[in-house]
Amino acid sequence: GVAELCKIPGLIKLKLLALKSITDKSCEQLASVSRLQLLDLTVCTQITDIGVAVLARALTLSSLTLSGLRNITDASVVTCS
């Protein structure tokens, strides 16, 4: 699962596409990866504004792709800007 991915030393890029198992809790785990710079969660439809807010606070992320998420609102756009 995501917890195991987060333990990979030197993880800087990660694409998890169209996975229903990726949730707001997964976002919390991913945000804690100290070197992660690029994260693509396209069509991971279980993510909500809560997960996006957590990811927006991840200081090392320089690229975050969230295309095709159905459970986020305009609040996520404000959080990320």
Side-chain angles (χ1 to χ4, degrees):
V2 172
E4 289 77 28
L5 288 173
C6 293
K7 294 177 187 175
I8 297 172
L11 181 65
I12 58 169
K13 296 179 183 180
L14 184 61
K15 292 185 178 191
L16 301 170
L17 309 178
L19 297 174
K20 292 183 191 236
S21 61
I22 302 300
T23 63
D24 293 336
K25 181 169 176 67
S26 305
C27 292
E28 291 175 19
Q29 294 170 322
L30 292 165
S32 71
V33 178
S34 63
R35 294 184 179 181
L36 191 60
Q37 296 173 13
L38 180 145
L39 181 60
D40 186 344
L41 299 172
T42 297
V43 195
C44 291
T45 57
Q46 299 303 309
I47 297 172
T48 69
D49 290 331
I50 294 166
V52 174
V54 169
L55 292 170
R57 291 190 298 269
L59 299 177
T60 60
L61 281 179
S62 59
S63 176
L64 176 61
T65 305
L66 301 170
S67 301
L69 302 188
R70 292 183 238 148
N71 294 319
I72 62 171
T73 66
D74 291 344
S76 289
V77 175
V78 171
T79 300
C80 289
S81 60

